[in-house]
Amino acid sequence: MKTVFVAVNARYSHSSLAIRYIEKYNIKFNPELMEFSINDSIGSIYSALVESGADVYCFSCYIWNIEIILKAAELIKKAMPNIVIIFGGPESGYNSDELLKKYNFIDTIIRGEGEIIIGKVLELIQQGKRPNRFYQGECVDLNSLKFPYTTLDIENLKNKILYFETSRGCPFRCAYCLSSADSNGIRYFPMEYVKKGFKFFFDKKVPLVKLIDRTFNCDSKRAVEIVNYIIENSTVTKVHFEIEASILTDELISVLNSAPKDMFQIEVGVQTINHEALTAVNRNYDLEKIRYNIRRLTEPKNIHIHLDLIAGLPFEDYNSFIKSFNFVYSMSPDMLQLGFLKVLKGTQVSERFTSDIKYAEFPPYEVISTKWISASELLKLKKVENAVDMFYNSGKFFNSIRSISEKPPYDNNPYSLFEQLGEKTKRSEKAGKLANTAFYEILYEIFGDCIIEELAVDFIKNNKTARLPKFLHREMSKSFKTHCIELINNPNFVESYKISGNLKDLRFEHILNKVFVMDYSNNLFFDITEWF
């Protein structure tokens, strides 16, 4: 009997941890792993699954992939009527009755943790028995789980993000999260297992490991021990994890502040500063303590900080969201992630606010409007989200955006800057897809010469070969080119700035009566006007 565990990831760069845990726990069935992304065509997924010639197909289902999985599963069942199709994962578990009734090509659905129960189901199939249509998963002893990755996995997942966990469950009960419906509480993997896992990643020089722990620092002493181990042993591997900022301890902050630059990426779900909204979704915390702790984390500038907001929460209107945005923006995160409420089946929000929140009845169940915020206002926030991603999160306009946001009226209301950029970008996109230089031109059209030098710096830093936008008047005489070559051959110049001696790695620009050089190989930028 051939069994395939199937994952359809949200992006090509992602990988699936779930199917690897289940594979290693049920290695006696010699299962095969097959991974795709939602950007793959149905045809290519279908043909690959059929060509695998399996007897059993087990799909890992989430809000981002359930629709494409349903289509693929239906096709392979029609092509191979005798196969067994099993669905697992959060998007099938809380919707199992409806799925089984609507889609007769699904043979079995498993709700909850799948490591143990999938083995029992496969055992029945191997014995020629027909499994039930629904099974409740069993809470697995984390001491019994094998490490989900092998050297071959690492080779196959080159250039992809690897996921890991040091705990399961969450001590909090946020009303919009499926963890609020998990009665198993929080459980921890043995520290020996955690350290061996990280050591494996470090030895393989994995670039990035993302922890899927709901709240990494819910046990602060444990978190300190893990962070110390990472600092002492990692050479190239970066680690991303999510924390609850209100419970950060002085000890953990101190340890994180001592870490090498860019070793850690930390995500904090602030979500809102509206107290009614926080109470409604069971997230009561001290906002000023969050601000204080995050500023302590950002002071050394060694950690990449992501701060999250959720639009569409109960009791938050448009003006309230603006306040939440400005609160988060004031902390200068490296990334400001503006998300929208997903009304997931099985959560308290889906049960308590049925008449107050309108949302899509299909995945990802995103909010359309609420009693407090209109559909048109949420659409406006979509434009703001796009503007934040392009002009802030991309890092390509760092100097320009910082300069603008420090000037009136944006210094008191930075949200209005991104609201303006969102509207302008949307209007510009109506004429067609925007070229890379168009976003610099949008900023110049709105703000003009008051940020022209910042725009020039941002453009040169982030564009190695692209031509300068029209508003940047370039001076590129033959004598200028000759002098640039002479500088590269001048040991005093090269040593002064510690830049590359390879002209292909450098960009010289004579604009705004100044001369700049960018060394892309070393990510160095200088004003070298004094040499001309």
Side-chain angles (χ1 to χ4, degrees), residues 24 141 239 387 492:
K24 302 303 186 295
D141 178 1
V239 180
N492 291 331

Side-chain angles (χ1 to χ4, degrees), residues 323-334:
K323 293 177 183 177
S324 296
F325 182 98
N326 290 338
F327 175 86
V328 169
Y329 190 87
S330 71
M331 291 182 278
S332 303
D334 295 287

Side-chain angles (χ1 to χ4, degrees), residues 202-221:
F202 301 155
D203 290 344
K204 301 299 180 185
K205 299 192 182 305
V206 173
L208 176 63
V209 174
K210 293 190 76 169
L211 297 186
I212 63 169
D213 299 42
R214 304 295 197 281
T215 308
F216 174 69
N217 65 319
C218 57
D219 183 331
S220 187
K221 288 186 178 179

Side-chain angles (χ1 to χ4, degrees), residues 80-327:
M80 303 180 292
N82 294 324
I83 63 172
V84 176
I85 290 178
I86 300 172
F87 277 23
E91 187 50 30
S92 63
Y94 286 97
N95 204 18
S96 55
D97 291 342
E98 182 180 333
L99 288 174
L100 290 171
K101 184 177 180 180
K102 188 174 181 180
Y103 303 104
N104 58 13
F105 54 81
I106 303 173
D107 294 292
T108 296
I109 287 179
I110 293 172
R111 176 189 292 173
E113 295 186 20
E115 286 93 350
I116 297 173
I117 198 65
I118 191 68
K120 295 180 178 180
V121 175
L122 293 176
E123 193 79 53
L124 288 173
I125 297 170
Q126 198 171 54
Q127 294 170 4
K129 298 177 182 177
R130 184 181 182 87
N132 295 335
R133 298 208 73 196
F134 175 81
Y135 290 91
Q136 178 63 50
E138 299 179 33
C139 189
V140 67
D141 178 1
L142 299 186
N143 291 282
S144 68
L145 284 182
K146 296 181 180 179
F147 185 65
Y149 298 101
T150 64
T151 298
L152 182 60
D153 286 317
I154 301 301
E155 293 172 0
N156 291 337
L157 295 172
K158 190 176 182 181
N159 300 321
K160 298 198 177 193
I161 299 170
L162 298 187
Y163 296 88
F164 190 45
E165 59 182 346
T166 72
S167 65
R168 285 189 181 179
C170 185
F172 302 101
R173 290 290 178 263
C174 302
Y176 49 77
C177 180
L178 278 175
S179 293
S180 64
D182 185 356
S183 60
N184 294 320
I186 186 162
R187 295 171 290 147
Y188 298 100
F189 284 81
M191 187 59 75
E192 182 183 7
Y193 168 95
V194 172
K195 290 181 177 179
K196 281 185 177 180
F198 276 118
K199 183 68 163 53
F200 178 84
F201 295 132
F202 301 155
D203 290 344
K204 301 299 180 185
K205 299 192 182 305
V206 173
L208 176 63
V209 174
K210 293 190 76 169
L211 297 186
I212 63 169
D213 299 42
R214 304 295 197 281
T215 308
F216 174 69
N217 65 319
C218 57
D219 183 331
S220 187
K221 288 186 178 179
R222 180 182 170 86
V224 166
E225 184 175 351
I226 294 171
V227 168
N228 270 323
Y229 182 83
I230 295 169
I231 292 172
E232 292 166 4
N233 292 276
S234 178
T235 54
V236 299
T237 302
K238 297 180 181 181
V239 180
H240 178 113
F241 51 80
E242 186 166 354
I243 63 167
E244 172 54 72
S246 66
I247 62 171
L248 275 171
T249 62
D250 291 341
E251 184 182 15
L252 182 53
I253 292 173
S254 177
V255 171
L256 288 168
N257 284 346
S258 72
K261 185 176 175 59
D262 296 331
M263 177 173 281
F264 294 106
Q265 296 178 356
I266 295 180
E267 189 169 347
V268 182
V270 179
Q271 320 309 17
T272 179
I273 66 168
N274 182 304
H275 289 285
E276 279 189 283
L278 288 170
T279 301
V281 297
N282 305 330
R283 283 184 67 89
N284 290 305
Y285 46 63
D286 186 337
L287 289 167
E288 285 309 311
K289 188 170 184 180
I290 285 179
R291 190 205 298 267
Y292 174 68
N293 284 341
I294 290 174
R295 284 189 167 165
R296 291 172 68 195
L297 282 180
T298 57
E299 278 175 5
K301 300 187 183 303
N302 63 325
I303 297 173
H304 197 83
I305 302 288
H306 297 199
L307 300 183
D308 300 347
L309 288 168
I310 296 179
L313 291 173
F315 299 101
E316 180 143 80
D317 60 20
Y318 191 73
N319 290 328
S320 169
F321 185 83
I322 291 174
K323 293 177 183 177
S324 296
F325 182 98
N326 290 338
F327 175 86

